[in-house]
Amino acid sequence: MKLAELQRRMFAEITNTVISADYIKPNARLTARERLDIYRDQYWSRLIDSLRDDFPGLLLLLGERAFQKLAIEYLTACPSKSFTLRDLGQHLPAHLQNQPLEHDMARLEWAHIETYDALESEPLSATFTPDQALALQPHIRLLELQYPVDDVRLKTLSARAVKARRPATIHLATHRVEGDVFYRRLEPGEFAILQKLSTGKSLAKALRGIIANPEDLQRWFATWAQLGWLCHPPAKRTSARSRGQ
Amino acid sequence: MPANRFNGFTDYGVGVGLRIPHYDHILNRQPVVEWFEIISENFMVDGGRPLAILDQILERYRVVQHGVSMYFGSADKLNREHLRRLKTLVRRTKTPWLSDHLCWGSVDGRYSHDLLPMPYTFEAAKVTARKIREARDFLEVPIVVENVSSYAEFHVSEMTEWAFLNEVVERADCGILLDVNNIYVSSRNHGFDPYEYLNAVPADRVAQIHIAGHSTYEKYILDTHDHPVIDPVWALYEKAIARTGNTATLLEWDQHIPSFDEVHNEALKAKRYLVSA
């Protein structure tokens, strides 16, 4: 059996159904299937543990048994395609799109992971013009959610209490201060402006169509400045052609 | 042979793995440690706390990178994004050598996140050696490969594990991270003489040695890195040092991690076997 064929077969049998472990030698204590099962058990326990660590809020909402069932379904549908376990849950929000509460929690928890180790840019200096393109700190993620899942994750609201609630839109930013991840609730107008700024729009364009009183705007900007949320857009690469080469 | 071309001609002594539960102790107490081994994948990120901690460690300590997902033995091509991020980290840490495992773990771009055992065939040795060379050429740092613990053997194998290790490192002209605990674990699982393995290892290619604890089950032994090193593994270590000379040694402890002092003291037991200069 060639290397690629053996690896495809063993990988499929570790991650899915064992058809035959006849390419593995038995020994005096273990059958070929039992030896393969050591790897199967390690695969599933390692990956499910990783999801459990990364999605504690989802675990709270679902409970241990349902979480494990979800993890197996998810990993079967979306096997890891990254060299790092850090990325294992990246498709979990999409996988849960038909379960609004769990979908919200998975989005928050994936945003938490991204915020934790994203780049931090130099905050914007005090002077900038209204027409100047701006950007948000790369570690900020903006979320519009139907349930207050941040409160469940922070354990200020029980899973039972949030399940009993009717959906009601909240706006949230995950962000980082000195290495720690924080969640900050946003007012709708503030969220709308930040969303536009996150796409590289200038302040003048971001404010277009936003109904907010000047005091609110001033307060929002003061908070963003204090948190260092605004920065310059990343420099565009100069192509070889534009350099005249 | 304390320093050779496979460990960047360094003489690092005894180190421990850098683990999250010990961060505060290390940064606040600044214990005297000869070097730390980091898991590369934990720091191949864009920013945040992982890199901030690493930079603080780098200010005070020597760091060597150890990877878990290069999968030199997979039939897949090397992952270019992985290599790119790894190179960025190599430049940051200035690691004098870089280790990963002699195993496979990915198929068609899908990852098991495990260290799966190689079939010991000439085809596999050729593929593995070619990938090690490609990685070394891209990363511009000596590569050393670690023998893994294994729980299964294949009918297609054409040689012993130690013959395969020799075949790969000769073809790749790379170094070896000799894990004496893994030799012990595999010898018990497969019923071979660990000293026969040890005696077959090309001593002049050993860049680093790993020691660790493991867990014993009814029908097999699992490489769990959650116990002190047992006497038979220390005996293997003594024999390894007798063959290689003083070599950079690292204790791995990854689960049920005790205090930093306990881990460090366990690692320092290796000094009993090192020859005083």
Side-chain angles (χ1 to χ4, degrees):
Chain A
M1 190 187 294
K2 291 285 187 188
L3 181 66
E5 183 190 350
L6 183 146
Q7 292 182 345
R8 279 200 185 99
R9 193 163 160 193
M10 185 167 174
F11 191 90
E13 294 191 333
I14 287 172
T15 59
N16 274 297
T17 310
V18 178
I19 297 163
S20 160
D22 60 2
Y23 49 93
I24 291 175
K25 281 186 189 175
N27 67 14
R29 299 178 303 279
L30 295 164
T31 64
R33 168 66 193 255
E34 286 170 332
R35 299 185 103 180
L36 181 69
D37 281 346
I38 295 171
Y39 289 102
R40 278 175 61 84
D41 293 347
Q42 288 195 138
Y43 171 80
W44 287 105
S45 64
R46 178 178 290 113
L47 270 58
I48 292 171
D49 282 351
S50 178
L51 289 175
R52 195 180 280 118
D53 289 345
D54 287 348
F55 294 89
L58 198 54
L59 179 60
L60 271 177
L61 284 180
L62 292 171
E64 182 60 45
R65 186 176 291 185
F67 184 89
Q68 179 140 340
K69 183 170 177 282
L70 166 70
I72 292 169
E73 284 171 4
Y74 168 67
L75 292 168
T76 303
C78 304
S80 174
K81 290 187 177 175
S82 168
F83 60 86
T84 168
L85 279 171
R86 179 259 189 213
D87 296 339
L88 191 64
Q90 65 182 320
H91 302 300
L92 193 52
H95 186 78
L96 287 165
Q97 61 185 342
N98 295 325
Q99 296 169 247
L101 173 58
E102 290 79 5
H103 177 63
D104 273 4
M105 181 62 89
R107 285 178 65 210
L108 172 65
E109 297 197 299
W110 178 246
H112 184 115
I113 291 167
E114 291 193 310
T115 292
Y116 177 71
D117 59 18
L119 197 67
E120 181 162 353
S121 294
E122 190 66 29
L124 199 65
S125 58
T127 53
F128 63 92
T129 64
D131 295 326
Q132 183 182 331
L134 299 178
L136 292 189
Q137 278 293 349
H139 58 71
I140 294 173
R141 297 291 178 276
L142 300 171
L143 299 166
E144 186 174 83
L145 304 165
Q146 302 307 307
Y147 292 90
V149 287
D150 52 336
D151 287 337
V152 181
R153 169 83 187 225
L154 297 169
K155 296 189 178 172
T156 54
L157 185 68
S158 71
R160 180 180 289 185
V162 77
K163 283 176 185 171
R165 287 196 177 185
R166 289 187 177 181
T169 302
I170 64 164
H171 297 95
L172 194 75
T174 61
H175 67 112
R176 204 170 68 216
V177 179
E178 293 180 356
D180 290 322
V181 176
F182 290 90
Y183 308 150
R184 182 167 168 262
R185 291 280 182 101
L186 304 171
E187 294 165 58
E190 186 182 16
F191 179 82
I193 298 170
L194 288 170
Q195 259 202 324
K196 289 183 179 179
L197 291 177
S198 73
T199 62
K201 286 196 166 50
S202 67
L203 184 59
K205 284 184 180 169
L207 289 175
R208 249 177 235 164
I210 302 288
I211 301 167
N213 65 51
E215 290 79 20
D216 284 341
L217 283 174
Q218 199 171 15
R219 182 166 49 82
W220 296 337
F221 270 93
T223 305
W224 302 339
Q226 190 182 5
L227 292 170
W229 278 15
L230 301 180
C231 54
H232 293 288
K236 284 180 183 166
R237 275 191 189 167
T238 310
S239 70
R241 182 173 292 180
S242 69
R243 289 201 306 268
Q245 294 178 359
Chain B
M1 201 169 307
N4 58 38
R5 65 191 173 101
F6 303 110
N7 58 24
F9 299 99
T10 60
D11 185 3
Y12 267 23
V14 177
V16 292
L18 182 67
R19 300 293 180 263
I20 291 171
H22 297 155
Y23 283 176
D24 285 344
H25 180 94
I26 295 164
L27 296 175
N28 294 328
R29 306 271 184 92
Q30 301 182 27
V32 176
V33 182
E34 292 179 296
W35 59 288
F36 283 107
E37 184 184 79
I38 63 166
I39 302 297
S40 298
E41 286 76 1
N42 293 344
F43 300 92
M44 288 159 66
V45 293
D46 292 329
R49 178 157 287 154
L51 293 183
I53 296 282
L54 178 61
D55 286 344
Q56 291 180 66
I57 294 290
L58 286 167
E59 282 175 17
R60 299 182 179 95
Y61 298 101
R62 300 183 295 194
V63 165
V64 175
Q65 286 181 224
H66 179 54
V68 294
S69 60
M70 190 91 83
Y71 297 142
F72 292 125
S74 283
D76 280 8
K77 288 179 181 170
L78 288 169
N79 179 330
R80 303 308 288 185
E81 170 64 8
H82 184 168
L83 284 176
R84 191 185 61 74
R85 284 187 172 270
L86 196 53
K87 190 164 187 173
T88 301
L89 187 63
V90 163
R91 286 176 173 157
R92 193 178 201 111
T93 65
K94 299 182 176 56
T95 184
W97 72 93
L98 182 143
S99 61
D100 207 311
H101 298 83
L102 184 52
C103 71
W104 66 281
S106 61
V107 167
D108 300 328
R110 290 174 296 152
Y111 284 76
S112 69
H113 302 283
D114 200 355
L115 309 173
L116 300 176
M118 294 300 298
Y120 306 131
T121 65
F122 289 100
E123 181 209 5
K126 200 172 164 183
V127 168
T128 306
R130 175 175 48 75
K131 291 176 68 178
I132 293 169
R133 283 179 176 274
E134 284 175 12
R136 183 183 55 217
D137 290 348
F138 184 85
L139 297 168
E140 301 176 294
V141 66
I143 302 276
V144 309
V145 290
E146 177 182 352
N147 56 296
V148 297
S149 290
S150 64
Y151 316 103
E153 302 164 289
F154 300 102
H155 288 296
V156 292
S157 286
E158 298 164 325
M159 62 191 100
T160 60
E161 182 184 338
W162 49 95
F164 182 76
L165 174 65
N166 274 274
E167 186 74 18
V168 169
V169 298
E170 286 295 327
R171 282 177 179 269
D173 191 22
C174 70
I176 296 170
L177 194 178
L178 189 66
D179 190 317
V180 290
N181 178 60
N182 287 348
I183 292 179
Y184 178 81
V185 169
S186 293
S187 75
R188 292 285 305 275
N189 287 336
H190 306 313
F192 63 75
D193 177 0
Y195 287 92
E196 188 181 352
Y197 190 136
L198 206 52
N199 287 328
V201 170
D204 59 342
R205 288 188 181 274
V206 177
Q208 182 189 336
I209 297 178
H210 267 174
I211 47 176
H214 54 256
S215 297
T216 302
Y217 295 91
E218 188 186 344
K219 294 182 176 180
Y220 60 92
I221 295 181
L222 208 55
D223 180 33
T224 45
H225 299 177
D226 59 353
H227 286 84
V229 181
I230 64 168
D231 287 343
V233 173
W234 280 124
L236 281 171
Y237 177 71
E238 183 176 19
K239 174 69 177 175
I241 290 295
R243 290 202 63 228
T244 62
N246 289 1
T247 301
T249 299
L250 187 288
L251 171 73
E252 295 182 293
W253 203 314
D254 294 314
Q255 294 182 59
H256 313 301
I257 301 175
S259 70
F260 177 81
D261 287 338
E262 193 173 331
V263 173
H264 194 205
N265 288 336
E266 182 68 14
L268 291 176
K269 288 179 185 171
K271 296 267 186 188
R272 293 181 299 195
Y273 306 99
L274 300 177
V275 180
S276 299

